C-alpha cells in the first residue's frame, strides 16, 4: 500500500512549526546544567523535540530517555505518560519492532491509567500496525479487535475509528479486500464525526483508495474522493492553516493521486492528466514515497496512451528510486509495469529477465507465507488433538457415572423388591434408567466411531503421502553410470512428504544428457508438475535434441490451457560429449551452476531465459562451453543457497563457493554428501524451508 506510516504527516506539521538552530540547542544544553524541577522537565522536553530535526536515532533515544527518567524522578505521571507515548512513537517511526514488543504492553497500561484517551489509542494503533507490517497478521488482527471492543465499551468513537484503521490494514495484508474495504469505511464514518477532525483520516482515505483500485471499483473510488476533499478542507479550516502548508502537502498529493487513480480506471484521460499535474505540484522531494507513487501512475497514464518510449524513460527513474526502498509487493509492481512496457517495445529478453527477478522475489515471499500458514495449521492441529483428548476423558467419565447409576439402581431394587406396593414404580424407574443408559451407550458408540474414522482418515492420508513420496523418488535415478571417463552423482530431499524438485540423466553412448529443476510451489501439485517435466525431458533427450530445443518443447507442452494453476519450473539442461568434454546447455531461469577448477571456482554466466511454463511459444537460447574435461560442474536448487537456520539466516552463495574452493574434490558423491552435511549443520535443527536437490558431473579425460 502507498501509505505513510501513522503520525508521519502530523510529525511533518510539528517539525515545520518548530524553526530552531544549533545555537538554540546549545542554549538549552547550558540552561539544563542549572535547571531544577518543572523547568528542567520542560527543557528536556524541548531538547527531545529539537533532536527530531536530525537523523541521529541514538541521540533522539538518549534525549527521550533523559526526559522519561526525569519525569519518573519527579513523580510527574502526566509527563511520564507523555514520554511513554513518545517512546512508542519513536520506535514505530524508526522500525524498532523488537523494542515496541518489549515496551508497549507496560507503556499502554500506564498511558491508559494516567494519560489522555487520544494518546492511548494512538499508541495502541502503533502497536497493532507493528504486528501487521512485521507479518504477524493473526496477532495483529486479534490485537485490533481487542482495541475496537475496548473503545466500543467506553463509547470512544475516536478509539473505535483508529481500531478500524489498523484492523483494515490487517485484512488488507491478508488479501481479504472486501472485509478491509468495509472496515476502512466504518473508520472513516466514525472519525469524520470527531471535533476537531483527526489527521489520521488521511491515512484511512488513502488506504480505502488502494483497496477500491485493487477491486476495480473505480466508480466508488470516484465518489470517495468527494468525501476525501471535504475532510481536507475541514481540517485546514479548523487548524487555521493554508492548503499549501508544508505539513499538508503530502496529504493533498495523495488526494489528487487518488482522483487520478479513479480517472485512469474509468478511462477519463484528460481528468487523469489534470489530477496528476495537481499532485506533482504538492510533492516537494523526489525521494519521497508520494513522488514514487506519483511516478508509478504517471507511467501508467503514458502506457495507456501507448507512449511507451516516454513511459520507459520514467520507468528508469522509478526503478532507480526503488533501489533498497519500499516493500517487496511494491517492488514487484514496479518491475511488472516495466516488463509490460519492454514487451510492448519488443525487448523480450529484458522483459524475460525482469519476470525471472519477480519469480525469485515471489518465491521468497511464498516461502514466508507458507511458514506462517504451516504454523497456523500446526496450532489448529494441536488444538484438535487436545479437543479429542478431552472428549475421550468425558466419555470415560460418562461410562463411570453410568456404571454407578446401574449399580445404585440394582441395590435400590434389591431392597425394594419386597414391597409389593412399590414394585410397579420400581419397575418403571428401572425401565427409564435403562433407556437413558441405552441412549448414553449409543452416544458413546457414535463418538468412538467418529474418533476411529478421524484416526483412520489421518492414517490413510499419511499412507498416501508415503506412497506418493516413494513413487516420486522412484522417478529420479538412484543408480549412476560406472565408467572410467565419467563421475556422476545426484540427490534429492523434499521439504515435505512430496516435493517439486527434479533431476535426471540419459546416457546415449558417449553423449550424456542431464537436467535439474525446481517447480514453483511445494507439495502434491508441484510433484505432479515435476513428473510431467521429468517425463518430457527423457522423451526429448532420447531423440537427441539440443538442450534449447528440449526447453522450448517442454515449455510449449506445459504452458498451454491445461496449466490452469499457472505453475512453472526453472530448469538447467545440459548435454556433454564424453569424448571431447564439449558442453551444450540451456538455462531456463535456474540458479547458475558452479564450475570447479584448480585455484578458481565460479558461477557460470548465462543468458536469462524465462522459467518453463510462463509464456507459450517462447524460444529458448542455448549456450556452450568448449571443454569441461576434468572440471567438475555442480548444479543445485535454491533449497541449498537459501536454506535457513532458526534465525532465518540463509546459507548463501558465498558460503557455497567457499566450501567448494577450500575442499579438495574427491568425487561427485563426496561433494554432494559434504554440502548436504553443511546445510544440515547450518539449519541447526530448523525444519527445511525448501526442497534440496544437487547434481555433480565430472568428465574424466587424459589430455596427454
Amino acid at each position: 500500500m502507498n501509505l505513510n506510516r501513522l503520525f508521519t504527516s502530523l510529525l511533518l506539521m510539528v517539525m515545520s512549526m518548530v524553526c530552531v538552530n544549533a545555537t538554540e540547542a546549545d542554549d538549552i544544553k547550558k540552561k539544563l546544567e542549572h535547571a531544577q524541577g518543572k523547568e528542567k522537565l520542560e527543557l528536556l522536553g524541548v531538547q527531545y523535540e529539537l533532536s527530531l530535526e536530525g537523523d541521529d536515532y541514538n541521540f533522539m533515544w538518549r534525549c527521550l530517555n533523559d526526559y522519561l527518567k526525569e519525569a519518573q524522578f519527579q513523580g510527574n505521571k502526566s509527563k511520564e505518560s507523555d514520554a511513554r507515548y513518545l517512546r512508542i512513537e519513536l520506535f514505530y517511526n524508526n522500525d524498532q519492532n523488537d523494542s515496541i514488543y518489549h515496551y508497549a504492553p507496560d507503556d499502554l497500561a500506564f498511558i491508559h491509567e494516567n494519560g489522555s484517551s487520544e494518546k492511548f489509542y494512538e499508541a495502541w494503533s502503533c502497536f497493532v500496525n507493528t504486528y501487521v507490517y512485521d507479518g504477524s497478521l493473526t496477532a495483529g488482527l486479534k490485537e485490533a479487535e481487542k482495541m475496537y471492543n475496548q473503545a466500543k465499551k467506553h463509547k470512544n468513537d475516536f478509539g473505535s475509528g483508529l481500531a478500524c484503521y489498523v484492523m483494515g490494514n490487517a485484512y488488507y495484508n491478508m488479501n481479504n479486500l472486501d472485509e478491509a474495504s468495509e472496515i476502512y469505511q466504518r473508520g472513516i464514518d466514525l472519525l469524520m464525526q470527531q471535533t476537531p477532525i483527526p489527521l489520521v483520516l488521511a491515512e484511512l482515505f488513502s488506504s480505502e483508495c488502494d483497496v477500491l483500485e485493487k477491486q476495480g471499483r473505480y466508480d466508488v473510488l470516484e465518489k470517495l474522493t468527494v468525501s476525501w476533499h471535504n475532510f481536507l478542507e475541514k481540517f485546514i479550516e479548523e487548524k487555521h492553516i493554508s492548503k499549501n502548508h508544508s505539513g499538508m502537502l503530502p496529504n493533498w498529493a495523495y488526494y489528487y493521486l487518488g482522483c487520478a487513480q479513479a480517472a485512469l480506471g474509468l478511462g477519463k484521460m484528460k481528468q487523469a492528466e489534470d489530477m496528476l499535474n495537481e499532485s506533482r505540484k504538492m510533492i516537494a522531494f523526489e525521494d519521497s514515497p508520494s513522488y514514487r507513487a506519483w511516478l508509478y501512475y504517471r507511467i501508467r497514464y503514458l502506457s495507456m496512451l501507448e507512449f511507451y518510449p516516454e513511459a520507459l524513460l520514467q520507468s528508469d527513474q522509478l526503478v532507480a528510486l526503488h533501489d533498497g526502498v519500499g516493500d517487496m509487493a511494491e517492488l514487484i509492481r514496479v518491475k511488472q509495469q516495466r516488463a509490460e512496457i519492454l514487451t510492448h517495445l519488443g525487448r523480450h529478453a529484458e522483459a524475460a529477465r525482469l519476470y525471472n527477478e519477480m519469480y525469485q522475489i515471489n518465491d521468497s515471499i511464498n516461502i514466508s507465507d507458507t511458514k506462517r500458514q504451516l504454523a497456523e495449521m500446526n496450532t489448529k492441529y494441536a488444538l484438535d488433538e487436545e479437543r479429542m483428548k478431552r472428549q475421550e476423558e468425558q466419555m470415560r467419565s460418562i461410562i463411570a457415572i453410568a456404571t454407578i447409576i446401574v449399580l445404585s439402581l440394582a441395590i435400590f431394587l434389591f431392597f425394594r423388591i419386597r414391597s409389593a406396593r412399590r414394585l410397579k414404580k420400581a419397575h418403571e424407574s428401572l425401565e427409564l434408567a435403562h433407556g437413558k443408559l441405552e441412549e448414553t451407550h449409543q452416544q458413546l458408540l457414535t463418538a468412538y466411531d467418529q474418533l476411529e474414522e478421524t484416526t483412520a482418515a489421518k492414517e490413510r492420508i499419511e499412507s498416501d503421502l508415503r506412497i506418493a513420496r516413494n513413487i516420486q523418488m522412484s522417478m529420479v535415478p538412484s543408480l549412476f553410470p560406472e565408467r572410467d571417463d565419467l563421475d556422476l552423482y545426484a540427490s534429492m530431499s523434499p521439504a515435505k512428504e512430496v516435493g517439486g524438485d527434479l533431476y535426471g540423466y540419459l546416457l546415449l553412448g558417449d553423449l550424456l544428457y542431464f537436467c535439474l529443476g525446481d517447480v514453483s510451489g511445494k507439495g502434491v501439485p508441484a510433484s505432479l508438475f515435476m513428473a510431467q517435466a521429468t517425463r518430457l525431458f527423457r522423451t526429448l533427450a532420447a531423440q537427441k535434441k539440443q538442450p534449447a530445443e528440449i526447453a522450448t518443447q517442454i515449455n510449449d507442452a506445459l504452458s498451454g490451457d491445461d496449466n490452469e494453476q499457472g505453475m512453472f519450473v526453472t530448469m538447467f539442461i545440459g548435454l556433454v560429449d564424453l569424448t571431447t568434454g564439449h558442453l551444450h546447455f540451456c538455462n531456463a531461469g535456474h540458479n547458475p551452476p558452479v564450475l570447479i577448477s584448480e585455484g578458481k571456482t565460479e558461477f557460470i554466466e548465462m543468458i536469462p531465459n524465462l522459467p518453463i511454463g510462463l509464456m507459450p511459444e517462447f524460444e529458448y537460447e542455448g549456450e556452450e562451453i568448449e571443454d569441461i574435461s576434468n572440471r567438475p560442474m555442480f548444479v543445485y536448487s535454491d533449497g541449498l543457497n537459501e536454506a535457513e537456520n532458526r534465525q532465518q539466516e540463509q546459507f548463501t552463495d558465498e558460503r557455497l563457493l567457499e566450501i567448494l574452493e577450500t575442499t579438495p574434490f574427491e568425487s561427485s558423491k563426496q561433494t554432494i554428501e559434504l554440502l548436504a552435511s553443511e546445510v544440515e549443520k547450518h539449519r541447526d535443527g530448523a525444519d527445511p524451508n525448501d526442497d534440496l536437490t544437487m547434481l555433480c558431473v565430472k568428465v574424466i579425460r587424459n589430455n596427454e
Side-chain angles (χ1 to χ4, degrees):
M1 302 171 70
N2 291 321
L3 296 176
N4 300 318
R5 300 194 74 176
L6 189 60
F7 307 119
T8 300
S9 298
L10 184 59
L11 183 59
L12 284 171
M13 183 176 294
V14 172
M15 290 173 62
S16 68
M17 294 178 179
V18 180
C19 182
V20 296
N21 52 36
T23 303
E24 187 173 352
D26 290 338
D27 290 343
I28 291 174
K29 187 175 181 181
K30 290 178 181 178
K31 290 178 181 179
L32 278 171
E33 294 176 359
H34 307 287
Q36 298 290 330
K38 185 177 180 181
E39 180 188 6
K40 183 177 182 180
L41 195 56
E42 294 295 337
L43 287 171
L44 287 171
V46 173
Q47 180 179 259
Y48 172 65
E49 287 184 1
L50 293 177
S51 73
L52 296 177
E53 294 218 342
D55 56 2
D56 188 344
Y57 169 76
N58 291 327
F59 179 62
M60 298 177 201
W61 168 240
R62 287 197 302 272
C63 292
L64 179 57
N65 206 33
D66 290 342
Y67 180 43
L68 175 60
K69 287 182 177 179
E70 185 63 27
Q72 291 172 331
F73 176 75
Q74 295 187 22
N76 191 328
K77 292 188 175 181
S78 176
K79 293 294 184 182
E80 182 182 350
S81 175
D82 290 344
R84 287 174 179 261
Y85 163 79
L86 291 171
R87 178 162 68 180
I88 293 176
E89 184 185 56
L90 177 66
F91 290 150
Y92 181 74
N93 287 327
N94 288 276
D95 296 321
Q96 301 295 315
N97 295 349
D98 291 340
S99 297
I100 287 185
Y101 295 143
H102 177 74
Y103 287 103
D106 289 341
D107 286 351
L108 286 172
F110 191 92
I111 297 169
H112 184 236
E113 185 174 348
N114 302 285
S116 68
S117 62
E118 287 79 7
K119 287 186 176 179
F120 169 64
Y121 286 112
E122 286 172 355
W124 201 347
S125 68
C126 287
F127 186 41
V128 176
N129 267 343
T130 301
Y131 275 124
V132 172
Y133 297 135
D134 201 24
S136 303
L137 301 179
T138 302
L141 185 59
K142 288 182 179 178
E143 194 70 25
E145 290 173 345
K146 180 180 175 182
M147 176 181 171
Y148 181 79
N149 292 333
Q150 178 158 329
K152 290 291 288 184
K153 179 180 177 181
H154 291 87
K155 298 181 180 179
N156 190 309
D157 288 344
F158 176 77
S160 298
L162 274 185
C164 288
Y165 166 59
V166 293
M167 194 184 304
N169 290 344
Y171 279 121
Y172 182 91
N173 283 276
M174 289 176 172
N175 208 31
N176 189 341
L177 300 182
D178 292 339
E179 197 71 33
S181 178
E182 181 181 343
I183 294 293
Y184 281 144
Q185 187 59 56
R186 189 191 309 169
I188 290 171
D189 295 340
L190 287 167
L191 294 178
M192 283 290 284
Q193 300 172 19
Q194 297 294 300
T195 304
I197 198 164
L199 187 58
V200 71
L201 258 168
E203 299 287 340
L204 270 163
F205 277 111
S206 186
S207 301
E208 177 71 341
C209 170
D210 286 337
V211 173
L212 293 174
E213 183 189 34
K214 205 167 184 180
Q215 292 178 314
R217 298 166 63 193
Y218 296 105
D219 53 341
V220 181
L221 174 53
E222 189 175 43
K223 293 177 182 177
L224 179 74
T225 58
V226 177
S227 301
W228 197 343
H229 185 271
N230 293 339
F231 148 68
L232 292 171
E233 291 287 355
K234 184 177 179 181
F235 184 85
I236 61 176
E237 181 182 350
E238 289 180 349
K239 296 296 180 183
H240 304 292
I241 57 177
S242 70
K243 177 179 179 180
N244 293 323
H245 188 282
S246 60
M248 288 300 297
L249 291 179
N251 297 300
W252 282 105
Y254 278 115
Y255 159 70
Y256 285 121
L257 204 55
C259 295
Q261 290 172 252
L264 288 171
L266 296 172
K268 300 177 180 179
M269 304 308 291
K270 181 63 172 66
Q271 182 179 336
E273 182 182 18
D274 293 341
M275 292 298 98
L276 285 169
N277 291 337
E278 289 297 320
S279 179
R280 182 64 185 91
K281 294 176 185 177
M282 300 296 172
I283 300 172
F285 304 104
E286 293 191 359
D287 58 350
S288 64
S290 57
Y291 181 74
R292 295 198 304 272
W294 174 84
L295 198 54
Y296 175 84
Y297 288 104
R298 174 67 180 172
I299 295 167
R300 177 185 288 185
Y301 166 76
L302 292 172
S303 297
M304 289 177 68
L305 294 177
E306 297 184 1
F307 296 160
Y308 296 117
E310 295 89 337
L312 185 61
L313 287 174
Q314 302 253 279
S315 179
D316 292 338
Q317 183 183 1
L318 182 58
V319 170
L321 289 173
H322 270 281
D323 185 16
V325 178
D327 58 23
M328 290 296 187
E330 191 176 355
L331 180 59
I332 290 174
R333 187 174 71 156
V334 169
K335 286 182 178 290
Q336 184 171 355
Q337 182 186 62
R338 183 175 179 82
E340 290 169 356
I341 295 170
L342 289 168
T343 301
H344 283 293
L345 291 172
R347 295 163 63 172
H348 299 293
E350 294 174 67
R353 183 169 62 252
L354 281 176
Y355 280 118
N356 186 44
E357 290 174 7
M358 283 186 279
Y359 157 70
Q360 299 289 346
I361 296 171
N362 259 321
D363 196 42
S364 64
I365 294 174
N366 289 336
I367 289 170
S368 298
D369 289 343
T370 300
K371 285 182 179 177
R372 176 175 55 79
Q373 293 168 5
L374 284 174
E376 293 177 358
M377 289 175 63
N378 288 335
T379 301
K380 183 178 184 301
Y381 178 72
L383 290 175
D384 288 342
E385 282 202 337
E386 184 64 28
R387 191 181 299 115
M388 290 170 65
K389 289 179 181 178
R390 287 200 301 269
Q391 289 176 349
E392 187 176 350
E393 290 175 357
Q394 289 172 357
M395 287 184 229
R396 291 174 180 170
S397 299
I398 292 171
I399 293 173
I401 292 170
T403 303
I404 292 171
I405 291 173
V406 173
L407 290 174
S408 299
L409 284 172
I411 295 171
F412 173 77
L413 290 173
F414 175 76
F415 285 103
R416 299 289 292 177
I417 198 68
R418 291 171 296 178
S419 175
R421 294 178 181 178
R422 299 183 180 180
L423 179 60
K424 183 178 179 181
K425 184 178 179 180
H427 178 70
E428 291 174 353
S429 298
L430 182 61
E431 287 292 331
L432 179 61
H434 178 73
K436 290 181 178 179
L437 183 61
E438 184 66 27
E439 183 180 350
T440 302
H441 178 67
Q442 290 300 324
Q443 291 174 349
L444 290 174
L445 290 177
T446 301
Y448 273 121
D449 288 343
Q450 292 174 347
L451 184 61
E452 288 179 357
E453 288 176 4
T454 301
T455 304
K458 181 181 176 183
E459 290 176 351
R460 282 197 302 272
I461 292 171
E462 291 175 349
S463 175
D464 289 346
L465 287 174
R466 283 195 299 271
I467 293 171
R469 181 187 180 94
N470 292 337
I471 293 173
Q472 183 183 22
M473 295 305 292
S474 69
M475 295 181 66
V476 297
S478 58
L479 299 176
F480 301 95
E482 296 183 2
R483 294 176 52 142
D484 294 337
D485 57 352
L486 175 63
D487 181 3
L488 173 67
Y489 191 78
S491 72
M492 181 174 73
S493 301
K496 294 185 176 182
E497 288 83 357
V498 289
D501 279 6
L502 62 98
Y503 72 83
Y505 76 87
L506 187 64
L507 190 58
L508 302 175
D510 290 326
L511 296 179
L512 172 66
Y513 284 87
F514 62 94
C515 73
L516 189 144
D518 182 359
V519 178
S520 61
K522 306 291 177 289
V524 174
S527 70
L528 295 175
F529 203 75
M530 163 264 189
Q532 288 181 284
T534 303
R535 175 181 57 80
L536 289 167
F537 163 74
R538 292 186 62 83
T539 301
L540 296 169
Q543 299 173 21
K544 293 189 177 182
K545 295 180 180 292
Q546 287 295 313
E549 293 181 87
I550 294 175
T552 300
Q553 293 190 30
I554 295 178
N555 180 67
D556 291 340
L558 296 183
S559 59
D561 296 337
D562 293 337
N563 188 7
E564 296 178 356
Q565 301 300 319
M567 300 188 74
F568 51 89
V569 56
T570 65
M571 186 179 288
F572 181 89
I573 304 172
L575 165 61
V576 62
D577 187 336
L578 300 182
T579 62
T580 64
H582 190 88
L583 172 69
H584 288 275
F585 68 90
C586 177
N587 184 63
H590 198 72
N591 297 336
V594 179
L595 198 58
I596 306 170
S597 304
E598 289 186 10
K600 186 178 182 182
T601 298
E602 59 185 356
F603 292 109
I604 299 175
E605 294 186 5
M606 299 176 296
I607 295 172
N609 287 303
L610 277 177
I612 290 171
L614 278 180
M615 185 184 296
E617 300 181 5
F618 183 82
E619 290 292 331
Y620 286 81
E621 295 185 58
E623 301 176 76
E624 58 186 295
I625 297 176
E626 186 64 30
D627 189 3
I628 64 167
S629 298
N630 303 318
R631 292 191 292 169
M633 172 181 282
F634 180 71
V635 194
Y636 58 95
S637 66
D638 56 13
L640 173 61
N641 57 325
E642 295 179 6
E644 294 180 352
N645 59 16
R646 295 174 185 270
Q647 292 75 40
Q648 296 186 335
E649 298 168 336
Q650 294 190 347
F651 191 80
T652 73
D653 292 337
E654 292 74 16
R655 188 169 182 179
L656 169 60
L657 287 180
E658 180 184 358
I659 292 171
L660 292 176
E661 284 180 353
T662 57
T663 306
F665 181 85
E666 296 179 9
S667 68
S668 294
K669 182 177 181 181
Q670 172 266 343
T671 299
I672 288 176
E673 290 177 346
L674 169 66
L675 285 167
S677 175
E678 290 294 328
V679 168
E680 197 63 32
K681 288 179 185 176
H682 173 74
R683 286 199 187 110
D684 190 26
D687 291 334
N689 57 299
D690 202 352
D691 304 334
L692 172 58
T693 304
M694 298 177 283
L695 182 147
C696 187
V697 58
K698 178 181 179 182
V699 178
I700 304 169
R701 288 179 61 223
N702 188 345
N703 294 326
E704 295 181 359

